[in-house]
Amino acid sequence: MHGPSEPAGPTGPARPAETLARPVPAWRTYAILVRATWRSMRVHRVNLAMTFLGSAALQGTQLAFIGVLLNAFGAIAGWSVGEVALLYGLRLTAHGVCTINFGQHRGSAQAIRDGIWDRFLLRPAPPLMQLLTRMFNPGTIGDLVLGLAILVTAAGMVDVAWTPGRIVYLALAAIGGGLVEAGMQIAISGLDFRWGPITRVKDTIDRILTDFGAYPMNIFGVVGGWLLTALIPLAFMAYLPITVVLGRADEAVVPSAVAVLSPLAGPVLLVAGVLCFRLMSRWYTSPGN
């Protein structure tokens, strides 16, 4: 079906009038949704500040526990206080990158159960993008800010020459680590469509990432190292790139070249996670049926 045509002129035949709106790029749609969600959160500023402080305090508790261990034993598997702090700082920064941008994957079960997914399907934006921008947890800012603070502080405690190349590599490692976690959690969230709410599985994975990601992988032995590298890609979130920065890549269970390229695992696993989520969403059944 064609729109109305402009009248024929002296220079040639009439052309169809440009009456259709241009499609909005996905990045702009994402920015609009995030901005709208952030404005709604700013209405409750006290809650925003308290959630931020609460999240920082929670993460600080684990850091304090690691500090107690290091104070008692001096080192963990040969890693000094500064090296473990650098690992923890990168892991927490990557976690902040994930939760700020993709943390609302946890709402998938509720969106399916309450029929909110029906509304997502009717709107002119990708349903997964709407899910990820539906709300914003201000506590995620605390994760990122505290992670960056620890990372900067620990950088001055290790014997590393911080060249521009190493700084850029560390920044890419933080982003890549966040994308690894996001890809894995989004893929797991897609199983809500197939098997119903699997919140316990998500909580278990999140607990594993939090409890095991703050320590050098070599303390878990060869089998544990492989499980946390190949089965659950936790090592790609912080441990492998940190071994490269510290010159300890030979301690990893994978070849040094894999450790060097570990930040690239983030985009790959994110794309795989999104594809898995979309595939699983085909099993969606509206609760109104």
Side-chain angles (χ1 to χ4, degrees):
M1 182 177 181
H2 300 288
S5 301
E6 296 176 350
T11 58
R15 294 179 301 175
E18 296 180 356
T19 56
L20 298 178
R22 289 180 296 180
V24 179
W27 66 268
R28 188 177 178 187
T29 303
Y30 178 79
I32 292 172
L33 292 173
V34 169
R35 188 163 59 244
T37 303
W38 177 246
R39 284 178 178 173
S40 68
M41 293 300 301
R42 284 194 307 173
V43 174
H44 308 284
R45 295 185 180 182
V46 174
N47 178 64
L48 191 69
M50 295 301 294
T51 308
F52 171 85
L53 294 175
S55 177
L58 180 63
Q59 296 294 346
T61 301
Q62 186 179 17
L63 180 62
F65 176 72
I66 297 173
V68 170
L69 289 180
L70 289 169
N71 185 54
F73 300 104
I76 296 178
W79 288 49
S80 67
V81 174
E83 291 172 332
V84 174
L86 191 68
L87 171 62
Y88 184 80
L90 181 59
R91 169 70 194 103
L92 186 55
T93 302
H95 179 66
V97 170
C98 170
T99 53
I100 283 179
N101 296 285
F102 306 98
Q104 289 307 313
H105 66 82
R106 295 184 61 84
S108 58
Q110 182 188 9
I112 296 169
R113 182 192 60 205
D114 297 346
I116 300 172
W117 195 258
D118 287 338
R119 282 181 270 165
F120 292 167
L121 295 174
L122 295 175
R123 294 170 180 167
L128 177 58
M129 182 185 295
Q130 295 181 63
L131 173 68
L132 297 178
T133 56
R134 180 168 167 250
M135 294 180 64
F136 181 78
N137 179 6
T140 58
I141 300 177
D143 295 340
L144 183 61
V145 171
L146 184 61
L148 288 172
I150 296 172
L151 198 60
V152 172
T153 303
M157 300 169 62
V158 296
D159 186 19
V160 173
W162 290 107
T163 62
R166 279 198 177 92
I167 295 174
V168 170
Y169 181 81
L170 202 62
L172 294 176
I175 297 172
L179 298 185
V180 168
E181 182 176 352
M184 185 171 57
Q185 295 284 24
I186 288 174
I188 295 172
S189 295
L191 299 178
D192 286 329
F193 292 99
R194 192 74 177 89
W195 296 334
I198 54 169
T199 306
R200 290 299 179 92
V201 176
K202 297 178 188 177
D203 291 342
T204 301
I205 295 295
D206 190 59
R207 178 51 58 188
I208 291 174
L209 300 183
T210 301
D211 291 346
F212 291 82
Y215 302 98
M217 295 290 168
N218 50 354
I219 70 172
F220 304 118
V222 176
V223 176
W226 273 112
L227 289 176
L228 296 174
T229 301
L231 182 61
I232 300 176
L234 174 60
F236 290 89
M237 297 178 190
Y239 174 67
L240 290 178
I242 282 297
T243 60
V244 174
V245 171
L246 296 177
R248 290 176 172 271
D250 57 329
E251 296 180 8
V253 295
V254 296
S256 299
V258 176
V260 172
L261 297 175
S262 56
L264 297 178
V268 174
L269 289 179
L270 178 63
V271 170
V274 170
L275 291 176
C276 178
F277 186 93
R278 289 179 176 175
L279 179 63
M280 292 294 106
S281 68
R282 295 178 181 176
W283 273 272
Y284 173 66
T285 302
S286 174
N289 289 340

